[in-house]
Amino acid sequence: MVLAVALAAGLAACSSDDDSSSGKATPRPTAPVAATQPPNVPAGPTATGVVEPVVAGEIARDLNTPWGVALLPDRDALVSSRDTGTITRLGPGTVPPVVVGTVPGSVHRGEGGLLGIAVSPTFATDHFLYAYLTTAQDNRIVRMTYVPGQPLGQPEVLLAGIPAGSNHNGGRIAFGPDGMLYAGTGEAGQKPSAQDRSSLGGKILRLTPDGRPAPGNPFPNSPVWSLGHRNVQGLAWDSTGRLWASEFGQDTWDELNLIRSGANYGWPAVEGSSDNPEYMNPVAQWATDDASPSGIAILGDVVYLAGLKGERLWQAPIVGSTVSEPRALFQGRYGRLRAVVTVGSGELWLVTNNTDGRGTPRKGDDRILRLVSG
């Protein structure tokens, strides 16, 4: 059974994207809408014995607008600051956190700035750090070297020309199990670009580590992996290597999608589920007040989805090509949640985001919390 989640009724008067309005509100359905199972997706594992994680402590506190987290081989992490453009090293081996550098060219405007970061799968030998940032002209992906104790290397531009705006910048990047670099982009308020295969906006991109269109992409000489997205900010893979992504809706539905090569996810023609066979339906959807999803993680074939406006962490066990009924965790306890990261067996890190101008900072914000299962 494919699930659509609606936990609120009535009218939605704000956009899901970090709560910034960008369109006329439309009525929400008063009951869950059934989504159809995506075609041609192989069956996956069934999650059993799901345990609710508990907070076991803090990894860091007093962070400024944390956005992206990249784990290092020694279990420390690098964390990007959206507003300041800095990268901070933190974790069990680095107390207190240390700023290791500033990424030149990063410009904070609205939801833009220094966003996602990722380390190379061969970081131990090449020391490459990747970043997705907003500049004065565009969003782009760059690569630089990071050697502990040395300044950050100068950025090398791998891909430029991703549409940028005050909203809908996407920004999550991550290396997949195939060794390729994936990036979730937004349409930057230019809705038609999500359906335009020649545009980098409103897409999930798949690149080689050098920034070229990856071999096996669905469209010749193109980095586009999937299209019809509004604003993708969460990317994660399950135990069978399938890609899952979270997406901000406009006024009605936020989405969790199972991503298929070359598939069209419908924006701007569709928000949430539809009966149009041209578009892939989400495997789960939430009213925008209940989610505003940014980062996601998968641990034990359970999807964890961090909610900004929803101020909760959603736990959704994977069952075949969908998820069973999601459960809301920590509702309202820690404020806005920007990201969740799988750190190891049975461990997640949860990143708050109350210093982004839309939250109410509490003592110690922003923080990274350590979650353990069982």
Side-chain angles (χ1 to χ4, degrees), residues 206-221:
R206 179 173 176 264
L207 307 167
T208 68
D210 294 327
R212 299 182 180 90
N217 279 3
F219 310 114
N221 302 313

Side-chain angles (χ1 to χ4, degrees), residues 269-297:
V270 172
E271 180 182 359
S273 299
S274 79
D275 295 326
N276 190 328
E278 294 182 15
Y279 305 131
M280 295 287 285
N281 280 326
V283 298
Q285 61 188 36
W286 291 262
T288 55
D289 287 347
D290 299 324
S292 294
S294 189
I296 65 172

Side-chain angles (χ1 to χ4, degrees), residues 99-342:
V99 175
V100 301
T102 301
V103 180
S106 175
V107 176
H108 165 54
R109 51 185 172 118
E111 295 166 10
L114 181 59
L115 303 176
I117 56 175
V119 297
S120 166
T122 53
F123 179 83
T125 56
D126 61 30
H127 298 286
F128 282 142
L129 171 66
Y130 295 74
Y132 184 115
L133 64 147
T134 309
T135 72
Q137 297 81 32
D138 58 7
N139 285 303
R140 58 183 58 182
I141 297 171
V142 302
R143 181 174 69 179
M144 65 206 96
T145 55
Y146 167 63
V147 178
Q150 299 182 19
L152 283 176
Q154 285 299 306
E156 172 192 4
V157 178
L158 300 184
L159 182 68
I162 303 170
S166 59
N167 300 321
H168 313 181
N169 288 291
R172 198 70 60 186
I173 57 175
F175 278 94
D178 57 1
M180 298 297 111
L181 181 65
Y182 291 75
T185 74
E187 33 83 316
Q190 305 166 29
K191 294 180 181 180
S193 68
Q195 291 294 324
D196 180 358
R197 292 209 317 241
S198 67
S199 171
L200 299 176
K203 309 294 190 299
I204 293 177
L205 309 177
R206 179 173 176 264
L207 307 167
T208 68
D210 294 327
R212 299 182 180 90
N217 279 3
F219 310 114
N221 302 313
S222 170
V224 172
W225 186 246
S226 62
L227 67 155
H229 298 289
R230 183 172 181 270
N231 191 8
V232 175
Q233 288 190 7
L235 302 170
W237 287 263
D238 64 23
S239 64
T240 65
R242 300 178 303 175
L243 174 60
W244 300 71
S246 61
E247 182 159 349
F248 286 99
Q250 178 167 286
D251 298 307
T252 311
W253 296 117
D254 292 325
E255 301 178 1
L256 175 66
N257 287 298
L258 179 56
I259 302 302
R260 186 163 60 90
S261 169
N264 189 328
Y265 289 80
W267 180 257
V270 172
E271 180 182 359
S273 299
S274 79
D275 295 326
N276 190 328
E278 294 182 15
Y279 305 131
M280 295 287 285
N281 280 326
V283 298
Q285 61 188 36
W286 291 262
T288 55
D289 287 347
D290 299 324
S292 294
S294 189
I296 65 172
I298 296 178
L299 177 63
D301 282 321
V302 178
V303 180
Y304 292 87
L305 181 148
L308 287 164
K309 189 176 183 184
E311 296 190 354
R312 67 201 79 175
L313 179 69
W314 287 100
Q315 181 189 57
I318 297 171
V319 181
S321 295
T322 183
V323 294
S324 62
E325 184 170 359
R327 179 172 16 168
L329 310 177
F330 314 125
Q331 186 170 344
R333 191 179 305 177
Y334 301 108
R336 294 164 62 81
L337 304 178
R338 171 61 70 180
V340 58
V341 182
T342 303

